Amino acid sequence: MKQLRLGVLAGLFAAAGVLSWGAARLWDSFGTLPSVPLAAPIVLAAIAVVLTATALSLRARLRAQRERRPGAKGVEPLMAARAVVFGQASALVAALVSGMYGGTGVFLLGSLDIPPRRDQAIYAAFSVLAGIGVIAAALFLERVCKLPEDDDDNTTTARTS
């Protein structure tokens, strides 16, 4: 499997942010800007918690398997691959959603004196922070599931597949 690249995630974040900022400016000129849902940072934080729990569980099982503890439950390669795909997909979606809320939040910075818009800017900021948490948890999960380098082979990336 290919490893997630921070540049791709940053590019998605930036592109979504710029498009969202432009769309917010355009939408605001026609009428009321759609609100940032209060549930957005909560859902993103919940995804980050699930990814972190999965990574910690897999890491403990892999450690027990390496140390050959009696009764240790191993990790099937397909399960590890599914976990990595879940993490990568979550990170990509989180980069897009965080960029979208980040662009909207930047647009809302110009009108913080209006209480509803200030609340929307706060929700957007928390959404961006929670999205960064999802990306960090996904990268941690990917690192946990990474196979050690194969010394006999000249390949530079040996991954679960």
Side-chain angles (χ1 to χ4, degrees), residues 49-72:
V49 167
V50 169
L51 285 169
T52 303
T54 302
L56 292 173
S57 172
L58 287 174
R59 185 175 72 169
R61 288 174 64 181
L62 287 168
R63 183 176 293 149
Q65 186 178 1
R66 264 181 291 193
E67 294 173 357
R68 300 184 190 269
R69 292 182 194 160

Side-chain angles (χ1 to χ4, degrees), residues 9-25 27 33-37 39-41 44 91-108 120-121 123-129 131-132 135:
L9 295 173
L12 284 172
F13 178 84
V18 168
L19 289 173
S20 177
W21 176 79
R25 282 189 64 178
W27 196 306
L33 185 66
S35 64
V36 177
L44 287 168
L92 291 168
V93 170
L96 285 171
V97 169
S98 296
M100 182 184 76
Y101 288 133
T104 303
V106 167
F107 172 75
L108 291 171
Q120 295 299 306
Y123 299 157
F126 281 131
S127 296
V128 170
L129 291 175
I132 291 169
I135 292 170

